[in-house]
Amino acid sequence: MFNTVIANNLKQFRKSRGWSLSRAALETHVSKAMLGQIEREESSPTMATLWKIAQGFHLPMSVLLEPHSVNPQTLAKHSKTQLCFDDNLQFRVLFPFDPLLCCEMFAHQIAPGKVHLSNPHEIGVIEDIIVITGELQIKLTEHWQSLQAGDTLRFKADQPHGYRNCSSELAVFHNVIHYPKTISDH
Amino acid sequence: MFNTVIANNLKQFRKSRGWSLSRAALETHVSKAMLGQIEREESSPTMATLWKIAQGFHLPMSVLLEPHSVNPQTLAKHSKTQLCFDDNLQFRVLFPFDPLLCCEMFAHQIAPGKVHLSNPHEIGVIEDIIVITGELQIKLTEHWQSLQAGDTLRFKADQPHGYRNCSSELAVFHNVIHYPKTISDH
DNA sequence: CTCTCTTGTACGTTATAACGCACAAACTAT
DNA sequence: ATAGTTTGTGCGTTATAACGTACAAGAGAG
């Protein structure tokens, strides 16, 4: 269940920071005993507690809630991966989320005539678009704008946005998602 | 705080479904009284409870957790820029250095038979390579390795490294340079 | 109109999250 | 080697989540 994801993520981030339970308790204002319980999946934390933990680690909530494989601090290499199909937008992971860099990267393809509308990310998330081939239209604040191959666009992704391809050729673009490094900016 | 986000989202989705608290309780196996408490922000739900709610509404957790506020604005947009020439490596800026994100991004081209050796960056700098077209060889720790189009590589750039193109076609790759957060003056 | 059903809230009870503290084991310094 | 400090776990206590139930108000049916 979901408590496993949180337990693994909390353990991973605490270890990568080199924090003891006591240090983490000081930083998060959640008791050492409770942090231990969460890591051992002996308790399901409330949202308020999870929020304190995320604040203390200066991480967005989503990072605590998403399943992660362990990302080593050493070199990472990825060969061209299989396309995944998600509605009208095909994608593959170029770099999975890295808690140190607070970003992840995808390569997307959108076929002629297809539209994809994205749900907003949490506050503070910024996205980069780099058009590789074709022509991509992107919708921001209810307004569609056109990007050519070689164009780039950076926008706040904590708002609804969308992609579509009105041309007659496949559009390929890369998407870097930057997560906020601190939550205290809210 | 975060309970407000959840309260608003729960209310919104329940209303849009036309579900009463009783119906939602049946679907989610969370008591009517608790759902009401959550919506009125009188209680901070545990992750286990939230999971049941998401399941009952057939929604991913993230939809319950993300604020749906509108914060529209394009941060940066760049059309295809002019190539610069730097020894054997041609480049153009995709995104200039951003002190908030602590990264910058370039598109590079290296012609057949050319080699480029880079001096080490300061300690902590990490580089991403995304090969767009052609075949690129990259030298790390005195060892050349080959990357194909679609491959990615992340490495520590605070050590000597190099690029070369041994093929008969132009190689194009993108390069994201992540600077450590503590050295945001670039 | 009256009667029945539905709805959301309040309240007391039960279950469990979250806490402070003690302590054994491990680690560090002399 | 010993002494002191740190670490993570277990336990009992406190706080609160989650529950079932009662009920006033609202909605719908006849």
Side-chain angles (χ1 to χ4, degrees), chain A residues 55-70:
Chain A
Q55 292 276 88
F57 277 86
H58 298 287
L59 290 172
M61 287 280 285
S62 58
V63 172
L64 283 181
L65 297 173
E66 291 166 357
H68 295 94
S69 59
V70 175

Side-chain angles (χ1 to χ4, degrees), chain A residues 94-115:
Chain A
L94 295 179
F95 291 102
F97 178 77
D98 184 329
L100 178 66
L101 307 176
C102 293
C103 69
E104 61 193 343
M105 194 169 183
F106 302 95
H108 291 287
Q109 295 184 9
I110 183 164
K114 301 287 185 174
V115 184

Side-chain angles (χ1 to χ4, degrees), chain A residues 77-139:
Chain A
K77 178 180 177 182
H78 306 274
S79 295
K80 185 167 182 176
T81 52
Q82 191 86 334
L83 275 178
C84 300
F85 294 86
D86 180 11
D87 296 340
N88 300 312
L89 190 65
Q90 305 166 8
F91 71 97
R92 59 193 179 91
V93 180
L94 295 179
F95 291 102
F97 178 77
D98 184 329
L100 178 66
L101 307 176
C102 293
C103 69
E104 61 193 343
M105 194 169 183
F106 302 95
H108 291 287
Q109 295 184 9
I110 183 164
K114 301 287 185 174
V115 184
H116 173 80
L117 299 178
S118 292
N119 288 321
H121 291 257
E122 68 177 84
I123 293 183
V125 174
I126 290 171
E127 284 194 29
D128 297 337
I129 300 294
I130 306 103
V131 182
I132 307 296
T133 61
E135 176 183 350
L136 177 73
Q137 292 207 328
I138 179 164
K139 179 182 183 182

Side-chain angles (χ1 to χ4, degrees), chain A residues 100 181, chain B residues 97 99 102 122-124 179-186:
Chain A
L100 178 66
K181 291 180 172 57
Chain B
F97 178 76
C102 293
E122 66 254 41
I123 302 276
Y179 295 89
K181 288 174 287 186
T182 53
I183 312 180
S184 39
D185 280 345
H186 174 58

Side-chain angles (χ1 to χ4, degrees), chain A:
Chain A
M1 216 261 285
F2 220 78
N3 288 328
T4 302
V5 172
I6 293 164
N8 290 339
N9 284 342
L10 179 54
K11 267 186 284 189
Q12 178 181 330
F13 285 112
R14 184 172 67 82
K15 291 223 167 88
S16 70
R17 299 283 174 89
W19 288 356
S20 64
L21 283 174
S22 298
R23 174 73 192 278
L26 280 178
E27 300 287 339
T28 62
H29 306 291
V30 173
S31 74
K32 176 171 68 163
M34 186 58 192
L35 291 172
Q37 277 184 291
I38 294 169
E39 290 191 1
R40 298 189 303 277
E41 295 183 62
E42 290 173 2
S43 183
S44 172
T46 62
M47 289 307 302
T49 296
L50 215 55
W51 173 252
K52 285 155 103 178
I53 292 171
Q55 292 276 88
F57 277 86
H58 298 287
L59 290 172
M61 287 280 285
S62 58
V63 172
L64 283 181
L65 297 173
E66 291 166 357
H68 295 94
S69 59
V70 175
N71 258 321
Q73 299 298 314
T74 57
L75 299 183
K77 178 180 177 182
H78 306 274
S79 295
K80 185 167 182 176
T81 52
Q82 191 86 334
L83 275 178
C84 300
F85 294 86
D86 180 11
D87 296 340
N88 300 312
L89 190 65
Q90 305 166 8
F91 71 97
R92 59 193 179 91
V93 180
L94 295 179
F95 291 102
F97 178 77
D98 184 329
L100 178 66
L101 307 176
C102 293
C103 69
E104 61 193 343
M105 194 169 183
F106 302 95
H108 291 287
Q109 295 184 9
I110 183 164
K114 301 287 185 174
V115 184
H116 173 80
L117 299 178
S118 292
N119 288 321
H121 291 257
E122 68 177 84
I123 293 183
V125 174
I126 290 171
E127 284 194 29
D128 297 337
I129 300 294
I130 306 103
V131 182
I132 307 296
T133 61
E135 176 183 350
L136 177 73
Q137 292 207 328
I138 179 164
K139 179 182 183 182
L140 299 176
T141 58
E142 305 306 318
H143 173 69
W144 288 96
Q145 56 188 304
S146 186
L147 298 179
Q148 313 295 328
D151 291 353
T152 61
L153 181 69
R154 175 168 283 163
F155 62 96
K156 292 187 178 181
D158 50 11
Q159 62 177 349
H161 52 283
Y163 311 100
R164 73 182 180 190
N165 181 357
C166 296
S167 72
S168 53
E169 308 175 354
L170 186 73
V172 178
F173 65 100
H174 290 178
N175 180 17
V176 186
I177 309 183
H178 306 272
Y179 294 87
K181 291 180 172 57
T182 65
I183 308 183
S184 52
D185 294 339
H186 284 229

